[in-house]
Amino acid sequence: MEAGSKPPYDEHDLERLRRRGELILHAAGEGIYGLDCDGITTFVNPAAAQMLGWTQEELIGKPQHDVIHHSRPDGSSYARRECPIYAAFKDGKVHRIDDEVFWRKDGSSFPVEYMSTPIREEDGSLVGAVVTFSDITSRKKAESDLREALNEIEALKNRLQAENVYLQEEIKLNHNFEEIVGESRALRAVLHEVEQVAETEATVLILGETGTGKELIARAIHDLSDRRTRPLVKVNCAALPSTLIESELFGHERGAFTGAQSRRQGRFELADGGTIFLDEVGDLPLELQAKLLRVLQEGEFERVGGTETKRVDVRVIAATNRDLAVHVRDGAFRSDLYYRLNVFPISLPPLRKRKSDIPILVRMFTERYARKLGRDISTIPQEVLDQLRSYPWPGNIRELQNVIERSVIASPGEKLRVVGLESPSDGSPPDSAPGESTTMEEVEREHIVRTLERSGWKIQGPDSAADLLDMNPSTLRSRMRKLGIERSLETR
C-alpha cells in the first residue's frame, strides 16, 4: 500500500454503507422495488408499499407481475412476456413508460410513470431490474383539466366564429348599430363617419332619399355620443303645419294664440343636455329658419308669446331628402343656416347602391315578421333573393320592409313568396295578380336590359352592368339566360 493512501473499506464499513444506502432508498418519495430475473420481488421501499396498499412483507418474494398487476391505460393486462418491466432484464435496456396504471391491493388503480433499469453482475450478466415509479394522478388530472379547458376554449372559439358569421349575415355591425343592417362598403363608409362624428359636438346633416334610414343614423350618433344618457328628441318638420311648428320647436306661453290654454315647453327645452333630430329640415318655413339659426349659434330662443330668453345646450342633427344647395340658390333656404347645418354631412346610399345588403335585410325582416305573425318561414329561395336584388327599390329600405311584411302574410308554407312588388316605372301595382312570377320577371328583365344598355352591354368589370347592379357577373349571366336576355344585332 502506498504511503498516504486510504486503507480499503473493511466489512464493518461496507455494512455501514449498505445500511446508509438502504436508508436512502427507504426515505425516497418515489416507489422503488427490485426484481430478479424470474420476476420475483427482492426489495420494496415504504413509498412503493404505501402507494400499492400492500405491506413490504406481502410483496417481497412474490411474482411482481401477478401482485402489482400493472396494465395499459384502457385496463387491459400485459402478458408476462410483453411486460415492459420484465423487458429490462431480458434485453438489458432501460425502459421508460408514462402512460400505464398500477393496481392496488383493494382493486383500485392509479396512473404511473416508471423506469425499469437492468441490474448486471460484475461480469455483465443480467440478474434483474430495479423499478422506480411515481403516482402521477395530480399531473394527469391537471393535464385532463387543461385539455378540457382547451376544448372549452376551442368550442367557444367555434361558437363565436359561428355567431360572427351569423351576425355578419343577419343583423349586427360594428358597435351594434341596432337596425342598421348590412355589410356593403357603402354602408360601412357611412358607419365609419358615424363613429368619427359621434364623439364630437359637431352639427350633423344627414342626406338621403326617403326610406334610407336617416333616423337610424341619427339615433346611432346620439347613442355613441356623450349625450346618450340624455334624450334624443325628434321633430318632423314636414309633418307639422307651419302655424304650429314654431310652438312645437320653441314652446309657447299661455294665451299666445287661440287654444294655448297653458304654458308648454318646446322640443328644444325637452332636448336640453341631449340631442334634437330635425327630420326633413328642408321643409322648414323661411320665417323659422332665422330662429333656428339663432339657437344653433347662441343656444337661445324665446317661447311663442313670451319675452324671457331661454338657454339650452342641445346638439342638432338634421336630415333632409332635398338638395339644400339648390334650395339656397332658389332662395327657399337660408344660406347661413345651410352652412351652419352642413358642418359634417353624411350621405346615405340608396338601397340600389348597396344591393349586396338586400339578402341580409330580407332575412332580418322575414324573421321579424314571421315571429310577429306566428309564421314558420325557414327558407328564402335563391331566385327570390335574385329577384329582390334586381328590383331598383325607389322606396328604399322602407319599401323593402313593407314588401317583406306583405310577403310573409301571403306565404302559405315554409318558403317565402314575394308579393306586392310595384312597377318602378310609375309606382302603380302590376296588372297581373300580385306576386306572379311573370310580372316579377318582366320588371326584372326591363331593369337588367336598361342597365345593360347604360353599360354598353358590358357585363363584367368596372362600370359594367354587374357593377351597377351590385351583382356577381356569373349571377347576372344566369339571370340573363333565364330571362332570355340577348343583345340584338343592331346594338352590337
Side-chain angles (χ1 to χ4, degrees), residues 188-203:
R188 290 189 180 277
V190 168
L191 297 185
H192 177 65
E193 291 179 325
V194 168
E195 291 177 319
Q196 286 181 314
V197 76
E199 61 185 9
T200 73
E201 290 292 307
T203 301

Side-chain angles (χ1 to χ4, degrees), residues 34-39 42 84-95 116-130:
L35 307 171
D36 64 17
C37 285
D38 294 322
T42 59
I85 294 176
Y86 281 28
F89 51 77
K90 293 181 181 297
D91 59 18
K93 298 178 181 179
V94 176
H95 291 262
S116 180
T117 305
I119 302 174
R120 298 178 183 273
E121 290 282 13
E122 292 180 359
D123 61 2
S125 60
L126 294 168
V127 295
V130 59

Side-chain angles (χ1 to χ4, degrees), residues 2 14 31 66 131 266 271 279 283-284 287 320 326 329 334 345 362 422 424 444 461-463 478:
E2 297 180 2
L14 291 175
D66 296 337
V131 179
D279 197 12
D283 293 315
L284 196 65
E287 60 270 18
T320 183
V326 172
R329 288 197 299 268
R334 291 178 62 110
V362 170
E422 296 180 348
E444 185 180 2
D463 300 322
S478 174

Side-chain angles (χ1 to χ4, degrees), residues 338-409:
Y338 170 67
Y339 293 122
R340 192 66 183 80
L341 291 173
N342 200 35
V343 175
F344 194 95
I346 296 178
S347 297
L348 303 190
L351 190 55
R352 62 182 175 275
K353 296 295 186 182
R354 40 176 292 216
K355 289 200 169 184
S356 62
D357 292 336
I358 289 177
I360 305 173
L361 289 161
V362 170
R363 281 189 281 269
M364 184 195 74
F365 289 139
T366 299
E367 287 185 1
R368 174 188 297 175
Y369 291 116
R371 185 167 54 247
K372 178 181 177 181
L373 298 168
R375 300 300 174 88
D376 184 17
I377 298 179
S378 58
T379 303
I380 304 175
Q382 184 60 45
E383 57 266 28
V384 168
L385 293 176
D386 290 342
Q387 289 172 346
L388 296 175
R389 281 168 59 102
S390 299
Y391 183 71
W393 299 109
N396 291 293
I397 297 174
R398 190 173 299 150
E399 181 184 8
L400 173 63
Q401 183 175 357
N402 292 339
V403 167
I404 297 303
E405 184 175 12
R406 289 196 297 271
S407 299
V408 168
I409 294 172

